[in-house]
Amino acid sequence: MTEVKREVFGQMPQEEGGGVVEKFILKSDSVKVEILSLGCIISALEMKGRDGECSDVVLGFDTLEGYTRKHPFFGAVVGRVANRIAKGRFAVDGKEYQLFLNNGPNSLHGGARGFDKVLWSPQVLPNGVCFFRLSPDGEEGYPGDLKVWVTYTLSGGELAINYRAQTSKTTPINLTNHAYFNLAGQGSRDIYDHEISIEADSYLPVDNTKIPTGEVAAVQGTGFDLRQPVKLGKHLQKFHLDGFDHNFCLPQVQARRLAARARHPPTSRAMEVHTTQPGIQFYTGNNLDGSLKGKGAIAYPKHSAFCLETQNWPDAINKPHFPNALLQPGEEYNHTTWLVFNTA
């Protein structure tokens, strides 16, 4: 059985449109998740370790104020298009669109005020919560009225996140959750003692602004071969990598399949990521620099968390040979990601 509770988390500032931010607490026998109506943010996720001790394994803030200031999308649902669009430009049906540039020369995670910065309308379910919003035609430069539903359900150690959307005009869409994990417990210094594996035979090399070059490269014989578990710290050293911020290409079938695993041997905490999406962005918190203070006023330094963001491939709207990034009127965007937490 999953217990669902709701409570007030805070009040949005007037300049952000005001409104009450609620927190939804989903609790099973092994996992407790807290989710905000602001940005559908996973603000806490507690799981047991080998010793039965519970720890919060996601980065974030204790108060609403932290989330209304600039932060690197901690725990949020990002959209209308997650990841990067080159030069913030794309064309649909012969019409050019220009988006806000918020990541060097590119547009990232929906623009200046993406899905992570807005209030969603919640509906409590027996084992979770469904958030809805209408993204109006022209919001952040995107075409079409887009209706979006994000549903979180918890069953035992499995958190499912379902994304659905319908549009009035052809529009690019790519939704993901941007939770930052540290299975040693949030606030732990680094993730070097974590073991990571990703079920991908290929990945997307990127240019110096993190836009895919268009090549789909084999992981075989490279530092991107994570098909067998690697100890992250040693692996980064061995291949002289500063960290990962890359899309790994998954088999393109709409069925649920295992995409990645992370494990923290000292506590035996483990998580699996299953998805229907064609890609997963592995990011090792390279841009965290200790300047942000999170829960308990703890600083979050570089490599103190990892993200496994299930998604379409970055800049797919500008790369015809990448998986389709467009949603048409009359169709439904529908993807699910399952995060499975256990002690292994």
Side-chain angles (χ1 to χ4, degrees), residues 134-156:
L134 172 69
S135 172
D137 186 16
E139 181 174 63
E140 286 297 324
Y142 288 99
D145 285 332
L146 186 75
K147 291 177 179 172
V148 192
W149 295 264
V150 177
T151 305
Y152 291 90
T153 48
L154 180 65
S155 174

Side-chain angles (χ1 to χ4, degrees), residues 49-101:
R50 177 196 294 136
D51 54 8
E53 283 290 298
C54 271
S55 276
D56 181 3
V57 297
V58 297
L59 274 56
F61 303 101
D62 293 319
T63 63
L64 178 59
E65 198 182 13
Y67 291 106
T68 56
R69 293 195 194 131
K70 191 169 164 47
H71 68 93
F73 306 97
F74 284 150
V77 164
V78 290
R80 194 174 288 196
V81 174
N83 217 306
R84 294 168 179 87
I85 294 179
K87 301 185 172 59
R89 261 190 234 139
F90 64 89
V92 174
D93 299 336
K95 186 177 173 194
E96 290 272 338
Y97 292 88
Q98 177 65 57
L99 309 172
F100 183 77
L101 305 181

Side-chain angles (χ1 to χ4, degrees), residues 20-325:
V20 172
V21 179
E22 288 189 280
K23 176 165 80 176
F24 296 82
I25 302 152
L26 317 184
K27 193 169 185 290
S28 72
D29 52 359
S30 58
V31 172
K32 182 170 115 176
V33 193
E34 300 182 359
I35 306 159
L36 307 180
S37 57
L38 170 68
C40 306
I41 288 169
I42 296 174
S43 57
L45 195 151
E46 291 179 16
M47 66 179 296
K48 291 177 179 147
R50 177 196 294 136
D51 54 8
E53 283 290 298
C54 271
S55 276
D56 181 3
V57 297
V58 297
L59 274 56
F61 303 101
D62 293 319
T63 63
L64 178 59
E65 198 182 13
Y67 291 106
T68 56
R69 293 195 194 131
K70 191 169 164 47
H71 68 93
F73 306 97
F74 284 150
V77 164
V78 290
R80 194 174 288 196
V81 174
N83 217 306
R84 294 168 179 87
I85 294 179
K87 301 185 172 59
R89 261 190 234 139
F90 64 89
V92 174
D93 299 336
K95 186 177 173 194
E96 290 272 338
Y97 292 88
Q98 177 65 57
L99 309 172
F100 183 77
L101 305 181
N102 61 337
N103 186 248
N106 307 315
S107 182
L108 175 71
H109 293 331
R113 192 165 186 266
F115 288 4
D116 59 298
K117 296 180 182 69
V118 293
L119 276 178
W120 294 62
S121 303
Q123 181 192 351
V124 171
L125 306 173
N127 60 343
V129 57
C130 176
F131 297 100
F132 170 79
R133 82 174 295 253
L134 172 69
S135 172
D137 186 16
E139 181 174 63
E140 286 297 324
Y142 288 99
D145 285 332
L146 186 75
K147 291 177 179 172
V148 192
W149 295 264
V150 177
T151 305
Y152 291 90
T153 48
L154 180 65
S155 174
E158 180 174 280
L159 178 67
I161 312 173
N162 174 257
Y163 307 90
R164 285 172 53 224
Q166 297 162 357
T167 186
S168 64
K169 292 180 186 169
T170 305
T171 186
I173 181 170
N174 183 21
L175 302 176
T176 193
N177 178 282
H178 208 313
Y180 286 67
F181 293 97
N182 186 321
L183 298 180
Q186 73 83 31
S188 299
R189 192 180 65 248
D190 59 55
I191 47 170
Y192 299 144
D193 57 356
H194 283 55
E195 288 173 356
I196 301 281
S197 61
I198 298 178
E199 304 281 317
D201 296 331
S202 53
Y203 78 102
L204 301 180
V206 293
D207 67 17
N208 61 1
T209 74
K210 301 279 193 294
I211 292 288
T213 60
E215 182 193 358
V216 180
V219 300
Q220 182 79 38
T222 74
F224 294 87
D225 192 345
L226 305 175
R227 292 173 295 184
Q228 295 299 316
V230 303
K231 196 153 210 179
L232 201 53
K234 282 189 178 143
H235 187 81
L236 293 177
Q237 272 181 327
K238 178 181 173 183
F239 288 96
H240 308 291
L241 296 168
D242 183 48
F244 289 94
D245 191 2
H246 295 80
N247 178 80
F248 287 75
C249 307
L250 304 173
Q252 289 180 48
V253 287
Q254 270 282 312
R256 171 177 176 160
R257 63 207 174 279
L258 177 68
R261 274 197 183 95
R263 185 169 172 267
H264 183 245
T267 60
S268 290
R269 285 196 194 100
M271 67 179 272
E272 291 181 352
V273 183
H274 300 247
T275 191
T276 58
Q277 289 274 24
I280 188 166
Q281 186 86 2
F282 180 37
Y283 173 55
T284 49
N286 313 329
N287 298 323
L288 297 174
D289 59 7
S291 62
L292 264 186
K293 292 203 169 33
K295 299 169 195 172
I298 294 170
Y300 292 143
K302 182 175 178 174
H303 296 163
S304 60
F306 65 89
C307 305
L308 287 165
E309 302 156 70
T310 55
Q311 59 173 15
N312 195 0
W313 301 3
D315 200 35
I317 186 69
N318 292 313
K319 307 265 195 307
H321 60 296
F322 281 11
N324 171 44

